[in-house]
Amino acid sequence: MNRTAREAAVRQMMERTPPALPAELYPDVVRRGSRLLRRRTLTLRLLWLLLCAATVAFLVWAAVVEPWVEPPSQTTPPLTDW
């Protein structure tokens, strides 16, 4: 199929009227769509809650452990000139 034939086929498809959908389909689609939106909202809220909990846990750990402070030396320097 060459380019002009493909373009003509696409034009014919675009000029057609879309098929009519059954009236019973609309309530099901609305119900499923609202369910998906509720699930997405719940998932996003849970992910934000998890992110906040992880941030708080990290901040508490960092405040307790203080990883930026150098640990104390395990050996004492030699005493001379007493």
Side-chain angles (χ1 to χ4, degrees), residues 4-27:
T4 56
R6 283 185 288 172
E7 287 178 358
V10 169
R11 280 193 192 99
Q12 286 177 353
M13 287 191 312
M14 296 292 284
E15 290 172 354
R16 288 187 213 154
T17 59
L21 295 176
E24 314 83 52
L25 190 62
Y26 181 74

Side-chain angles (χ1 to χ4, degrees), residues 60-80:
V60 168
W61 170 81
V64 171
V65 175
E66 296 180 352
W68 55 86
V69 176
E70 186 176 330
S73 176
Q74 296 297 327
T75 59
T76 58
L79 290 175
T80 57

Side-chain angles (χ1 to χ4, degrees), residues 3-54:
R3 181 178 176 173
T4 56
R6 283 185 288 172
E7 287 178 358
V10 169
R11 280 193 192 99
Q12 286 177 353
M13 287 191 312
M14 296 292 284
E15 290 172 354
R16 288 187 213 154
T17 59
L21 295 176
E24 314 83 52
L25 190 62
Y26 181 74
D28 290 338
V29 170
V30 170
R31 183 175 43 83
R32 287 182 183 180
S34 61
R35 184 186 322 153
L36 285 173
L37 285 175
R38 282 194 308 268
R39 284 183 185 173
R40 183 178 298 158
T41 303
L42 179 64
T43 303
L44 285 174
R45 285 183 182 170
L46 286 175
L47 287 174
W48 275 110
L49 180 65
L50 180 64
L51 178 67
C52 290

